[in-house]
Amino acid sequence: MTALDPALTRDILAAVADGFADQTAFLEELVRFPTLRGQEHTAQDFMHDALAGRGYAMDRWTIDVDAIRHHPGFSPVTVDYSHALNVVGSHRPRETSGRSLILNGHMDVVPTGPTDLWASPPFVPRRDGDWLYGRGAGDMKAGLSANVFAMDALRRLGYQPAAPVYQQSVVEEECTGNGALACLVRGYRADAAIIPEPEDDKLVRANVGVVWFQVTVRGKPAHVREAGQGANAIEAAFRLIQALRDLEADWNARKGDHRHFEHLDAPITFNPGKIAGGDWASSVPAWCTFDGRFGLYPGVNPRDAAREIEDCLRRAAADDPFLANTPPEVTYNGFMAEGYVLEEGSAAEQTLGRAHAAAYGQSLEAFTTTSYLDGRVFVLYQDTPCLVYGPRAEAIHGFDERVSLASLRRITGAIALFIAEWCGLERA
């Protein structure tokens, strides 16, 4: 494919700008859906209807764990999937002359935390200058809107892609990655993919893998007047967490062996994200559980990492007088996902570079990120260049999450330009 004609480039960017008020309203409507895990289905119905109304051939299904559990990219599931719906809208051209594309995004969001610590209710979108606030506004309902309205801009000019384009709205990105994986297993393939995650107008070059796990610690209950005769499970859990901190330091010390991660201060993060324990303030606690998350370098098999985590806990327990005879139990309750590297020089990246330069007036930058991304499904299991590239956002997973609307408009323009060059155009 050759670079786009400058006049067509200007027309496409103008068409994106003309539709941006509608795009912002669409994004606000998405934010109003409280799409916490297990509650995404109503928003997915909304997305289904929005795409169907635009003429896409629609596919909506509940993720079948048995259909994906034997895939090497599968992550363990400990929750009910009865409302775990994926939605895909397929555009098919009259005659295919370009290259196919997947536009992927996730509908699920993380919990809000105490809502009284937000400046405004998290599922009530709020505008303040360039910022649109709300849980999921940045991560990543803005990206879902960019996918939809980039295609709309082309249609506004009387064009459509001259190749298949698949709009994927998936769930489970924040906890397993099984939503994107289910699309792969269902048969969706393309020559390239774009995921507009909130990446500060940059392209992700490399990305960590992630393992989620839960540790159960047993103690020995006793009245506090005889606390010395008991074994405090909560305090024992703290000692195990410290041992995992030591493992985190060890893994970070290996960063020099991993391309694209050498320059980061601490590319591997262990996060003890949840803890619960005990039954009574005046009793030595007999139980404690904590949930943890570890990042992994690309190329590290998550199951090998899991064994290192278990070995670390086993060694720490062996040094504890009580835990030596009552070792902790480890279960896996989410991500078991490998990281990836997007190798430089693909035709897709070159096309995005031209699109970004036209939309932003500057060269595209690439960087390494230490969070999970569904891009691994495409890069590792489809051998497909996946361009994780999206708008500027702040406080994702935090209070007062927000996305820059100016950045979102430019990202949408860049995606529209990418589609036009990558897929080619035909008259709608």
Side-chain angles (χ1 to χ4, degrees):
M1 296 289 178
T2 58
L4 292 179
D5 175 78
L8 178 59
T9 296
R10 290 191 296 270
D11 288 346
I12 292 173
L13 294 177
V16 168
D18 290 344
F20 195 67
D22 290 341
Q23 181 177 349
T24 303
F26 181 87
L27 173 55
E28 290 175 337
E29 192 64 27
L30 286 181
V31 171
R32 290 188 181 96
F33 290 97
T35 53
L36 301 166
R37 192 182 194 188
Q39 302 175 38
E40 307 97 337
H41 52 289
T42 54
Q44 291 291 64
D45 289 342
F46 173 83
M47 180 63 81
H48 175 278
D49 293 346
L51 294 175
R54 287 165 165 82
Y56 291 88
M58 298 307 302
D59 186 12
R60 172 174 47 188
W61 75 100
T62 303
I63 298 173
D64 181 358
V65 173
D66 289 336
I68 61 176
R69 72 166 68 251
H70 300 297
H71 193 281
F74 174 72
S75 294
V77 177
T78 59
V79 301
D80 178 25
Y81 263 18
S82 60
H83 287 150
L85 300 181
N86 277 348
V87 171
V88 177
S90 298
H91 159 77
R92 297 185 178 91
R94 290 192 305 276
E95 183 178 348
T96 299
S97 59
R99 292 168 289 192
S100 58
L101 178 65
I102 289 172
L103 298 172
N104 173 283
H106 67 86
M107 187 65 78
D108 53 311
V109 301
V110 300
T112 63
T115 57
D116 61 310
L117 296 178
W118 287 67
S120 56
F123 295 113
V124 178
R126 175 172 63 90
R127 290 280 299 273
D128 184 0
D130 182 49
W131 296 106
L132 176 65
Y133 288 78
R135 172 59 85 230
D139 189 12
M140 67 161 288
K141 293 176 179 179
L144 284 169
S145 81
N147 288 341
V148 173
F149 281 81
M151 291 281 284
D152 283 1
L154 301 176
R155 182 63 66 90
R156 189 173 290 109
L157 295 173
Y159 294 110
Q160 64 182 17
V165 176
Y166 306 103
Q167 293 262 13
Q168 296 182 348
S169 180
V170 305
V171 296
E172 288 287 292
E173 192 274 349
E174 297 286 5
C175 43
T176 63
N178 287 340
L181 185 70
C183 289
L184 166 66
V185 172
R186 200 164 176 90
Y188 290 101
R189 302 283 199 285
D191 296 316
I194 293 178
I195 306 180
E197 289 273 12
E199 303 297 355
D200 293 335
D201 309 319
K202 298 175 184 177
L203 173 68
V204 173
R205 174 66 61 210
N207 175 231
V208 297
V210 172
V211 169
W212 272 16
F213 57 97
Q214 183 178 84
V215 180
T216 300
V217 185
R218 302 296 180 187
K220 181 181 179 182
H223 192 287
V224 291
R225 71 183 182 185
E226 301 165 340
Q229 297 179 25
N232 191 308
I234 293 175
E235 292 180 345
F238 290 161
R239 293 192 290 274
L240 295 177
I241 288 172
Q242 184 54 57
L244 292 171
R245 285 289 184 209
D246 294 339
L247 180 62
E248 175 190 44
D250 178 47
W251 286 4
N252 275 308
R254 307 177 197 177
K255 66 181 183 179
D257 298 331
H258 298 275
R259 185 168 54 105
H260 303 299
F261 291 84
E262 315 95 319
H263 65 290
L264 299 179
D265 290 337
I268 300 302
T269 301
F270 162 60
N271 184 56
K274 290 175 61 179
I275 189 167
D279 300 296
W280 197 251
S282 293
S283 297
V284 174
W287 66 277
C288 184
T289 65
F290 66 90
D291 287 39
R293 176 266 195 203
F294 251 110
L296 314 172
Y297 296 109
V300 173
N301 186 313
R303 287 156 186 82
D304 292 340
R307 282 190 286 272
E308 283 200 60
I309 292 168
E310 292 177 24
D311 288 345
C312 171
L313 292 170
R314 192 176 298 111
R315 289 192 301 271
D319 292 335
D320 185 286
F322 180 78
L323 292 180
N325 295 312
T326 313
E329 299 176 1
V330 184
T331 57
Y332 298 95
N333 58 355
F335 287 121
M336 189 67 71
E338 187 176 339
Y340 74 91
V341 172
L342 177 69
E343 298 296 343
E344 298 182 47
S346 70
E349 183 176 337
Q350 293 171 14
T351 302
L352 182 63
R354 290 188 288 272
H356 178 87
Y360 281 81
Q362 60 189 39
S363 298
L364 176 64
E365 296 181 43
F367 77 116
T368 298
T369 183
T370 57
S371 59
Y372 170 82
L373 294 170
D374 273 343
R376 58 111 190 182
V377 171
F378 301 93
V379 174
L380 297 177
Y381 307 120
Q382 298 186 31
D383 194 26
T384 297
C386 183
L387 308 171
V388 180
Y389 162 82
R392 179 187 171 203
E394 295 180 352
I396 60 173
H397 292 217
F399 299 129
D400 300 325
E401 178 181 347
R402 52 199 172 270
V403 66
S404 164
L405 294 174
S407 170
L408 176 58
R409 179 178 54 79
R410 288 191 290 267
I411 286 290
T412 306
I415 294 173
L417 294 174
F418 179 95
I419 296 168
E421 181 178 338
W422 183 259
C423 301
L425 297 175
E426 65 182 16
R427 282 293 171 183

